[in-house]
Amino acid sequence: MSQLATTATATDTSATATNTGTSARQSRWESLQPLVLDAVVPTASYYLLSKGFGMSTMAALAWSSVVPAGRTLWSLVKERRANGLAALILTANVVGLLLSLVAGDPRLMLAKDSGITATIGIAVLVSVFAGRPMMTAGLKPWVTKGNPARTAVWDRLIAERGQFARLERTFSVMWGVALFGEAVVRVVGAYTLPIDTMVWLSGAIAAVTITATVLVSGGRVVDPMEKMVSRKLGE
């Protein structure tokens, strides 16, 4: 009987752990959904349509604007407020479309994508000064890990407006500066380096910038925030 009880307890514990893990993954995915729908899907669609299927820049930008345009309109009708990230991506695509209209110069064509990146970078920085850091949509799920208790601690720490809130703003500042700086570097390169060089170098600059920002922001912001939440929970 004792062995059966022990086995039953172990089974219950295992089931609870499995359910907790599944719940955490589901919660994290729900937290990441806005970021995926508003930023990842439109950006990936643009590159897939333009680079993968050979669609014109204007057509690729127009089709990749469907999701953020729909999300922005839905937010205005349903929630009576603008969806910041979706509106940002839509604005960036509109900027790209306008630049494409005057992009007869191959160097301007190379610099065009930088105009989109710069627009996003500036918008992220403005969101920080407006008190609604845009990159929090991607930061919060990784700090809270989809755990309701960690999410509650996050909300309390943010409300205290101390170091935790400063780190939250710093994350968006780092990404805004990185995106804007990367755009500036690519524009300079587009007008000073050989076109053939910039065709491959442009992508390399973007990849290095994103990788470096992920690593630096992870060490300077994400890790400290995770530790602060864990300390509050006594983990």
Side-chain angles (χ1 to χ4, degrees), residues 1-12:
M1 177 68 79
S2 176
Q3 184 177 0
L4 289 175
T6 302
T7 302
T9 301
T11 301
D12 291 342

Side-chain angles (χ1 to χ4, degrees), residues 34 38 68-87 132 134 137:
D38 297 335
R71 294 270 293 172
T72 301
L73 181 62
W74 175 258
S75 295
L76 289 173
V77 173
K78 179 77 173 179
E79 303 172 10
R80 305 291 183 182
R81 65 181 180 84
N83 183 318
L85 193 55
R132 300 182 64 180
M134 199 165 286

